Amino acid sequence: MTALAVQIARASALFKTHDVRLGPPVSHTGTYRTPVSVDPWDVSFEDKIDLLLKADAGLRSARGVAVANASLAFWREHKFFANSEGAFLEQELIESGGGIEAIAVDPGTGEVQKRSHPNSFARDQRQEGWEAILAMDLVGSAPRIGEEAVALLKADPCPSGVTTLILGGTQLALQVHESCGHPIELDRVFGTEASFAGTSFLTPEKYGGFRYGSDLVNMTADATIPGGLGTFGWDDEGVPAQRVPIVRQGMFQGYLTSRETAQQLREIVGEEAPASSGGAMRADGWNRIPLVRMTNVNLEPGEWEFDDLIADTDEGIYMELNKSWSIDDKRLNFQFGTEIAYEIKGGSLGRMLKNATYTGITPQFWQSCDAICNANHWRVWGTPNCGKGQPGQVAHTGHGTAPARFRNVQVGVTG
Amino acid sequence: MLGQKRIRDIGESVLAHSSADQTEVVIMAGENYLTRFANSSIHQNVAEADTEVRIRVVLRDPGSQGARVGVATTNNLGDEALARTLENALEIARLQPANPAFRSLPGPDRPLAEVDAFSEVTASCTPEQRARGAGEICLMARDAGVVASGALTTSVLELAVINSLGIRAYQSATLADINTVVMSDTSAGYAASLAMDFDTLDFEALGREAVEKCLHSQNPRALEHGEYTVILEPYAVQDLVQMLAYTGLGALAYQEGRSFLTGKLGEQIVDARVSIWDDGLSSDGIPWSFDFEGVPKQRVDLIEKGVARGVVYDSYRASKEEGKQSTGHALPAPNNMGPFPWNVFFGPGDATLDEIVASTERGIYVTRFHYTRPVEPKKVVITGMTRDGTFLIENGEIAYPLKNLRFTQSYLEALNSVEMIGNKLRLLSGMGNVVRDSVPALKLGRFRFTGATEF
């Protein structure tokens, strides 16, 4: 195996353009374990299946639900890291995820609608124990989710036009993920993902001097917050978890970096850039090399209560829970669809809307943000399905968000 | 490679120790070698060998219909680990409520076809050979003043299915797969190819295709979005095929009422020039003789001359419809996608790509699509972007390159406006190491672009 690795390295050197520079040595030692109140492996199979069956029954209690899904997922990753610079690290990361989903099919028209809880695409996931599952209240929420799936069949379609948009926390988490998280991956900026996922509009000359969003927009990449799927002790180069500023008062301030890309950035922009890695190199398992990945990329909370935000909005649409997502290969033009939406009229939430979509250009969209809800409404959502790299890797990332308002957004894009 | 005997021994050992009423062992062994390049140099070069053993057990309750099914997997081939995995599968099955609809694992009802999907050249490909293949494209890009990125993969795959009803299926295969994106400051070009035999990959032709596309698409102009005639290269057409497969060509979506084919079999659903079928045994693709249940693959006509003909089945989904048999399209159990077409063919037409362009008074030429997602799955309404070479065609010629556009379009409606179909099929890789599609170029009369980006 070692001989093959050496043979591959020598073959790589046949077509190289520069030597790798890793910057300051990394020689930390220590251990880290995800703090959990109840280890999910201490909960019996019977209890887990009992919870799922009760949730399934709750979903099916709504007349018209054709398909009901309930799932739990638990991860325990035990990894060791050592390098020739003296680092020796041991980490045990524990994740608990769960979710329910109801699909309603109109027997007459064949129309299909879907509702999920607490997040779309199977589950929310956190670096916590069984307590995370109990907090989701899958069983208690199931009848409402089933009823909403059926109600969507009769709901009016989202109208087309330019209007005020308020996004709920889960949809905003994916908005942050796609339009901030990916374009700040510095390996992507430098072109090493070009042939697969693409590159980034946030090129190095924008570093420190580009207006990404409105003055209200503050974003961080924070691998230290409790419960986040992007939380750890050290990344997979042995660099400690950090809180890195990304956007401050709307101005672009920082990237997700590795040891090598941090040095490359410093060579381009000088001492304005950090001297060492921000600690964002992560591999999805034993058989993959680390890539620059999101940790917990967060939109920091603002000052609004959610009810006040709705009351302050004369006309617009509230959208929640992602149903479809697409963004161009430099992360500028995006289009998202949500499972459910509500009309806002005269400061109140009104009729339910289906097939809601919105589209925009990343900096223009974030510059149109004029209100963000406060810490009472802020929480970290898990995205356990972030694809990147060849061969493919699936990262688990976190995104802290509170509902926020955006002005003059194109909604209701239909085919 | 583990080899047929070693794999068979592992499977037989698990069967011998199983107390279940029925037991299935699926063994997937793979060696994958990947050379990745960017900025015209190799930046990632990896090798991986791994084997997954997937055990499915079936427990029947005396006197009641149906069964309890459990699945567990491991990549540890030691006796103790295999025994523990078998016990996990049994424990999971015991905790399940009985599924009254489950009939049985499949038996060896039909013989397996002999297929040739293995190339010794690919299996013995060295890191130096891959580096020189990637390097040929990198040097071509450097000479043209642009930069190349991409990935070149060679794989050796072994799949075996062994079950207690007598199925004994084994096949090996090789894949050589390359894609490249060549970029300038204002443009990009793309090329990709899939083959069984590494020696048949033409790096010079692929490099030339991507470099020329990149050079021709420099300094793109903006175009107002709206409805246009489009010419889609096979790379873009593959997305149409994959989205049709994902949203509705399998029996799970069909039976749950989520498929665009539900209630439509026998009806004309797209233009009469469109025929789409799945044929795992065709040597025009990379053949595979059985699925992940060991059931022989059958050719399935999905859309024939525009008429909806059928969907693909695994044994469980077939048992839910009177008179149906598995068509040999099971994915590894358990999965939430249901049976899936792996080897899709889109029937060719009789026009060359040059003839298609020459026939077009005004339209948009699309190299490929990017980040496509269903907006309304039942209607196959998809949104996505163009990428790596988009052009305006005027008076039968490419007029100038365009900034990339967003579309929101029902692929079914688009296939109702087919005007011409290319006469050559291109074999392209899809999801993972399993899916591959053979697709032509297409000219569609109406395609709705709903937005644009800045490059």
Side-chain angles (χ1 to χ4, degrees):
Chain A
M1 191 59 74
T2 307
L4 177 60
V6 171
Q7 185 188 12
I8 288 172
R10 291 192 193 287
S12 299
L14 291 172
F15 295 94
K16 72 168 190 176
T17 54
H18 63 276
D19 291 329
V20 172
R21 276 190 284 278
L22 295 177
V26 170
S27 56
H28 304 281
T29 60
T31 60
Y32 175 87
R33 184 176 193 267
T34 303
V36 297
S37 297
V38 180
D39 189 322
W41 277 268
D42 289 342
V43 178
S44 69
F45 263 144
E46 288 91 333
D47 286 349
K48 290 168 181 162
I49 288 174
D50 182 58
L51 184 148
L52 291 174
L53 291 175
K54 284 177 177 160
D56 179 79
L59 291 167
R60 291 178 191 277
S61 68
R63 200 172 196 175
V65 170
V67 182
N69 291 316
S71 65
L72 298 174
F74 302 97
W75 298 68
R76 180 160 55 202
E77 184 177 33
H78 195 180
K79 62 181 172 186
F80 297 86
F81 176 88
N83 68 17
S84 54
E85 295 166 330
F88 193 90
L89 305 163
E90 181 181 359
Q91 300 190 80
E92 186 180 9
L93 304 177
I94 296 172
E95 298 177 9
S96 299
I100 54 176
E101 177 185 88
I103 296 174
V105 180
D106 186 310
T109 65
E111 181 185 341
V112 178
Q113 292 292 340
K114 181 176 79 169
R115 280 290 286 130
S116 311
H117 171 84
N119 207 343
S120 45
F121 304 105
R123 62 185 187 270
D124 186 29
Q125 194 152 307
R126 299 176 63 79
Q127 278 200 10
E128 290 179 347
W130 181 248
E131 65 274 12
I133 304 301
L134 298 180
M136 293 174 186
D137 191 20
L138 299 179
V139 174
S141 304
R144 173 179 61 83
I145 293 301
E147 288 159 11
E148 287 180 352
V150 176
L152 278 167
L153 293 172
K154 304 287 184 199
D156 292 327
C158 175
S160 294
V162 175
T163 190
T164 295
L165 174 67
I166 296 178
L167 293 179
T170 58
Q171 175 56 34
L172 202 47
L174 194 64
Q175 179 77 49
V176 170
H177 180 97
E178 302 292 358
S179 67
C180 177
H182 279 303
I184 60 171
E185 295 164 347
L186 197 48
D187 58 347
R188 188 183 173 110
V189 173
F190 288 148
T192 51
E193 291 294 322
S195 66
F196 186 57
T199 56
S200 171
F201 75 97
L202 284 172
T203 41
E205 78 279 3
K206 294 188 175 75
Y207 183 80
F210 176 72
R211 178 156 286 285
Y212 177 89
S214 69
D215 285 346
L216 297 176
V217 174
N218 291 286
M219 293 180 171
T220 55
D222 189 347
T224 69
I225 51 176
L229 275 191
T231 297
F232 45 75
W234 299 268
D235 77 355
D236 292 333
E237 288 188 311
V239 175
Q242 297 167 48
R243 177 181 167 92
V244 177
I246 302 298
V247 176
R248 268 192 194 143
Q249 295 181 321
M251 300 303 292
F252 172 53
Q253 295 284 328
Y255 287 109
L256 294 161
T257 59
S258 63
R259 294 181 64 183
E260 182 182 359
T261 56
Q263 298 312 308
Q264 290 175 298
L265 180 66
R266 206 165 158 84
E267 286 168 15
I268 296 170
V269 305
E271 293 188 359
E272 193 182 340
S276 58
S277 169
M281 280 291 261
R282 305 175 70 193
D284 83 347
W286 61 272
N287 55 349
R288 294 289 181 268
I289 65 166
L291 303 171
V292 176
R293 302 307 301 253
M294 287 173 238
T295 53
N296 303 298
V297 179
N298 308 318
L299 173 66
E300 297 300 319
E303 297 178 343
W304 288 75
E305 289 293 339
F306 181 72
D307 289 347
D308 293 342
L309 182 60
I310 297 293
D312 185 65
T313 305
D314 190 45
E315 187 169 322
I317 295 178
Y318 171 69
M319 297 189 193
E320 180 59 310
L321 248 88
N322 184 264
K323 189 162 78 170
S324 74
W325 71 106
S326 172
I327 189 163
D328 72 39
D329 56 285
K330 293 189 185 198
R331 302 275 152 175
L332 279 167
N333 179 302
F334 61 81
Q335 182 169 313
F336 292 102
T338 63
E339 287 188 358
I340 195 165
Y342 292 92
E343 186 178 51
I344 305 171
K345 264 222 154 73
S348 298
L349 289 175
R351 60 184 173 141
M352 179 187 287
L353 300 170
K354 65 184 173 187
N355 300 337
T357 57
Y358 67 98
T359 187
I361 298 287
T362 295
Q364 294 167 16
F365 180 77
W366 284 106
Q367 286 169 31
S368 78
C369 178
D370 77 341
I372 303 172
C373 286
N374 64 28
N376 295 332
H377 306 277
W378 192 91
R379 62 155 289 179
V380 184
W381 297 96
T383 302
N385 59 342
C386 175
K388 184 178 178 181
Q390 292 172 291
Q393 299 195 38
V394 179
H396 296 185
T397 68
H399 303 288
T401 55
R405 185 171 65 188
F406 301 85
R407 298 292 194 182
N408 301 314
V409 180
Q410 173 69 51
V411 304
V413 186
T414 57
Chain B
M1 288 181 68
L2 286 185
Q4 187 169 5
K5 181 179 183 311
R6 170 88 169 110
I7 286 178
R8 173 74 67 92
D9 288 347
I10 293 168
E12 297 288 0
S13 169
V14 173
L15 290 189
H17 288 89
S18 177
S19 60
D21 294 296
Q22 295 180 348
T23 304
E24 173 189 84
V25 188
V26 178
I27 301 173
M28 293 173 268
E31 296 174 18
N32 292 292
Y33 304 88
L34 180 140
T35 298
R36 206 171 184 211
F37 51 103
N39 301 312
S40 301
S41 70
I42 293 171
H43 70 100
Q44 178 188 323
N45 214 340
V46 293
E48 175 192 1
D50 196 12
T51 301
E52 179 189 279
V53 178
R54 182 171 291 252
I55 302 172
R56 177 162 61 153
V57 296
V58 178
L59 304 178
R60 296 198 181 283
D61 294 336
S64 67
Q65 276 207 328
R68 303 165 189 267
V69 181
V71 180
T73 66
T74 182
N75 68 348
N76 184 336
L77 306 184
D79 291 340
E80 191 181 326
L82 291 170
R84 195 165 56 242
T85 305
L86 174 61
E87 185 49 43
N88 282 342
L90 288 163
E91 185 183 2
I92 290 167
R94 286 184 203 110
L95 290 167
Q96 301 278 326
N99 178 354
F102 187 90
R103 297 284 178 269
S104 173
L105 296 175
D109 300 332
R110 287 172 277 143
L112 294 174
E114 290 283 333
V115 297
D116 179 14
F118 191 88
S119 158
E120 194 56 52
V121 171
T122 306
S124 59
C125 185
T126 66
E128 289 80 10
Q129 285 175 286
R130 283 189 300 279
R132 294 193 188 288
E136 191 170 342
I137 295 172
C138 291
L139 291 176
M140 201 181 294
R142 284 187 210 174
D143 289 347
V146 292
V147 295
S149 60
L152 171 57
T153 308
T154 55
S155 304
V156 181
L157 310 170
E158 294 174 281
L159 174 65
V161 183
I162 297 161
N163 79 17
S164 55
L165 279 71
I167 279 184
R168 298 291 184 271
Y170 170 87
Q171 187 187 326
S172 59
T174 55
L175 296 172
D177 188 7
I178 183 165
N179 73 298
T180 181
V181 170
V182 173
M183 298 187 300
S184 74
D185 288 344
T186 62
S187 65
Y190 180 76
S193 188
L194 172 69
M196 181 178 78
D197 189 334
F198 179 81
D199 275 354
T200 65
L201 291 181
D202 188 340
F203 297 106
E204 196 274 338
L206 289 162
R208 190 172 60 245
E209 178 185 350
V211 168
E212 288 182 358
K213 183 71 68 68
C214 173
L215 294 176
H216 290 149
S217 58
Q218 286 178 305
N219 303 312
R221 302 185 210 171
L223 183 73
E224 190 65 25
H225 54 264
E227 194 167 272
Y228 290 87
T229 293
V230 290
I231 296 172
L232 306 182
E233 284 202 18
Y235 306 122
V237 175
Q238 188 191 23
D239 195 76
L240 266 72
V241 165
Q242 294 214 333
M243 280 297 174
L244 291 175
Y246 176 70
T247 56
L249 295 178
L252 176 59
Y254 177 78
Q255 291 173 354
E256 289 181 347
R258 296 183 286 111
S259 165
F260 60 90
L261 289 181
T262 303
K264 301 280 189 187
L265 293 186
E267 294 182 17
Q268 189 88 30
I269 59 166
V270 292
D271 187 277
R273 281 165 286 192
V274 174
S275 289
I276 298 174
W277 65 91
D278 182 278
D279 189 356
L281 300 178
S282 172
S283 57
D284 291 332
I286 293 177
W288 206 279
S289 61
F290 58 90
D291 69 2
F292 286 92
E293 292 184 312
V295 174
K297 288 202 154 287
Q298 292 179 24
R299 173 180 161 130
V300 178
D301 286 318
L302 303 162
I303 297 172
E304 184 184 18
K305 295 178 180 173
V307 176
R309 287 298 181 207
V311 294
V312 297
Y313 289 84
D314 57 18
S315 65
Y316 178 68
R317 286 290 145 188
S319 75
K320 299 200 112 184
E321 284 183 53
E322 190 68 32
K324 287 290 180 194
Q325 283 192 321
S326 170
T327 55
H329 291 88
L331 293 177
N335 73 82
N336 57 11
M337 286 188 67
F340 195 83
W342 311 353
N343 305 84
V344 177
F345 291 78
F346 191 120
D350 53 12
T352 67
L353 195 50
D354 287 344
E355 288 168 348
I356 295 175
V357 172
S359 74
T360 305
E361 190 177 336
R362 183 175 165 84
I364 295 175
Y365 183 103
V366 176
T367 298
R368 69 170 177 142
F369 292 143
H370 170 77
Y371 219 126
T372 55
R373 292 289 185 277
V375 177
E376 292 184 61
K378 184 72 181 269
K379 297 177 182 171
V380 203
V381 175
I382 308 295
T383 190
M385 297 294 302
T386 64
R387 184 178 171 181
D388 299 333
T390 307
F391 303 89
L392 182 70
I393 298 170
E394 288 181 327
N395 303 317
E397 294 182 344
I398 288 185
Y400 52 82
L402 296 175
K403 291 185 178 179
N404 287 299
L405 295 156
R406 170 170 295 286
F407 66 91
T408 307
Q409 168 69 50
S410 163
Y411 280 179
L412 275 183
E413 284 182 14
L415 288 174
N416 261 309
S417 68
V418 170
E419 295 187 355
M420 298 174 86
I421 302 177
N423 60 0
K424 285 185 181 166
L425 297 186
R426 193 151 187 168
L427 179 64
L428 298 169
S429 62
M431 289 184 294
N433 271 335
V434 175
V435 176
R436 59 223 44 149
D437 306 302
S438 297
V439 287
L442 273 183
K443 180 180 175 183
L444 305 172
R446 296 181 302 279
F447 204 85
R448 187 157 187 252
F449 293 96
T450 53
T453 192
E454 297 179 352
F455 60 92

